Amino acid sequence: MPGDALSRDPAELRKRIDTTKAHPARVYDVFLGGKDNYPVDRAAAAAALAANPRGYLDVRHNRDFLRRAVTRLAEQDGIRQFLDIGTGLPTAQNVHQIAQHITPDSRVVYVDNDPVVLAHARALLTSGPEGRTDYVDADLAAPAEILEQAAKTLDFDQPVALVLVAVMHFVEDEQAYPIVRELVEALPSGSRLVLSHLTEDLNPENIRAVQRTYTERGFTFVLRSKDKVARFFTETPGVTLDEPGVVPVHHWHQDGAAPQPEHVDPAQLATLDDIEKVRYRDISDVTDADINVYVATARKV
């Protein structure tokens, strides 16, 4: 629960953190240049990068899709409420920062069940004075609990954007589709679904090699085809896909505003290992041969 979760002693939370096993949120943090990860997470990221040397483009473009989608929903569609499930660790341009920059009274609820994320949740709750931001410590497999707790902050009589970015590929089919259906069914007309998902359609050899590095570490890692990603929308009643439909991440409403890499002296760059160099890479040179992520947004009618 939001209040209970954030009242927990950070020292107690850290006791729940297993630093002997890689965690998806922390591996993602490595690729984004974050500091809230452990050697085992960096080893997993390094193995994935060795399997697919341009794989950091999936992570970075996925993050930029989140920026573009939230910006578009706030600016063009007037969405003022966001439910972000599978939040991950705080990084630059979190949902509330994007939305409240456009509309200061926006409300955002973040949901995750990783103790590392919970330990850093206060950094997610730096809402502007006119808006509100909250955090729910809950599992995606318990959508009813998520909705109950989110309703303490969000008004479910008004449109809500459900954000499921880079999270559903950690859930098997028998759970994944019913979870999305239950969450969307609870949202009012005019709400939106924002989703991104890894696939083997585009560059199967590289992404399957990455998949092996993760499954060997005990992750559930489901690569879905375009048709299977589309099922999250077509099998959820009352949902209509927005243009351009389900597309590779770098083809979705590019706006030329992707964050630019930090400048680093070439001599210093040469001293870094491959995973450390990722934060300094420019993502604008992406090609279709680099990407393994489908994305889409949809409206609930």
Side-chain angles (χ1 to χ4, degrees), residues 209-279:
V210 173
Q211 182 186 41
R212 285 193 295 273
T213 71
Y214 285 145
T215 56
E216 286 168 359
R217 288 165 170 80
F219 295 178
T220 297
F221 204 82
V222 184
L223 301 172
R224 292 187 171 96
S225 67
K226 183 175 183 177
D227 286 346
K228 288 188 175 182
V229 173
R231 280 180 57 193
F232 286 111
F233 302 91
T234 59
E235 294 189 3
T236 301
V239 167
T240 302
L241 272 169
D242 298 323
E243 292 295 333
V246 178
V247 296
V249 62
H250 60 308
H251 291 310
W252 193 91
H253 295 293
Q254 282 289 355
D255 60 6
Q260 296 300 303
E262 299 177 44
H263 175 73
V264 61
D265 182 86
Q268 180 185 351
L269 187 65
T271 67
L272 304 178
D273 62 29
D274 288 344
I275 198 67
E276 292 173 324
K277 291 177 182 176
V278 164
R279 64 185 299 178

Side-chain angles (χ1 to χ4, degrees), residues 31-278:
F31 278 109
L32 292 175
K35 305 295 185 184
D36 300 311
N37 50 71
Y38 298 92
V40 67
D41 306 303
R42 292 189 283 277
L49 192 65
N52 181 15
R54 300 273 283 173
Y56 64 90
L57 289 165
D58 283 332
V59 177
R60 299 274 297 282
H61 274 276
N62 179 76
R63 190 71 189 181
D64 196 54
F65 162 68
L66 176 67
R67 177 191 63 79
R68 300 195 310 273
V70 172
T71 298
R72 193 174 182 88
L73 293 184
E75 285 186 343
Q76 299 186 19
D77 299 318
I79 299 297
R80 302 289 181 263
Q81 301 188 109
F82 296 83
L83 177 57
D84 182 4
I85 303 179
T87 300
L89 287 152
T91 185
Q93 293 292 284
N94 296 298
V95 170
H96 75 281
Q97 293 166 323
I98 302 165
Q100 292 180 355
H101 177 73
I102 298 165
T103 309
D105 64 352
S106 294
R107 296 184 175 198
V108 179
V109 171
Y110 294 105
V111 181
D112 212 301
N113 72 331
D114 175 31
V116 175
V117 179
L118 179 55
H120 293 274
R122 288 177 180 84
L124 283 171
L125 301 181
T126 53
S127 175
E130 299 173 55
R132 187 172 174 190
T133 308
D134 217 334
Y135 181 89
V136 173
D137 180 21
D139 196 305
L140 179 59
E145 179 185 355
I146 290 172
L147 292 165
E148 178 184 356
Q149 298 302 326
K152 297 177 180 179
T153 300
L154 304 178
D155 178 0
F156 280 92
D157 290 327
Q158 299 296 322
V160 176
L162 172 63
V163 179
L164 297 171
V165 167
V167 65
M168 297 313 300
H169 44 248
F170 297 117
V171 186
E172 298 287 359
D173 281 357
E174 60 270 18
Q175 282 189 298
Y177 296 106
I179 285 170
V180 174
R181 191 178 308 119
E182 182 173 348
L183 289 167
V184 174
E185 284 177 348
L187 304 181
S189 176
S191 292
R192 307 303 283 266
L193 172 59
V194 178
L195 185 142
S196 69
H197 200 294
L198 284 168
T199 182
E200 61 184 351
D201 283 1
L202 306 172
N203 301 288
E205 184 176 348
N206 285 347
I207 196 62
R208 286 171 186 160
V210 173
Q211 182 186 41
R212 285 193 295 273
T213 71
Y214 285 145
T215 56
E216 286 168 359
R217 288 165 170 80
F219 295 178
T220 297
F221 204 82
V222 184
L223 301 172
R224 292 187 171 96
S225 67
K226 183 175 183 177
D227 286 346
K228 288 188 175 182
V229 173
R231 280 180 57 193
F232 286 111
F233 302 91
T234 59
E235 294 189 3
T236 301
V239 167
T240 302
L241 272 169
D242 298 323
E243 292 295 333
V246 178
V247 296
V249 62
H250 60 308
H251 291 310
W252 193 91
H253 295 293
Q254 282 289 355
D255 60 6
Q260 296 300 303
E262 299 177 44
H263 175 73
V264 61
D265 182 86
Q268 180 185 351
L269 187 65
T271 67
L272 304 178
D273 62 29
D274 288 344
I275 198 67
E276 292 173 324
K277 291 177 182 176
V278 164

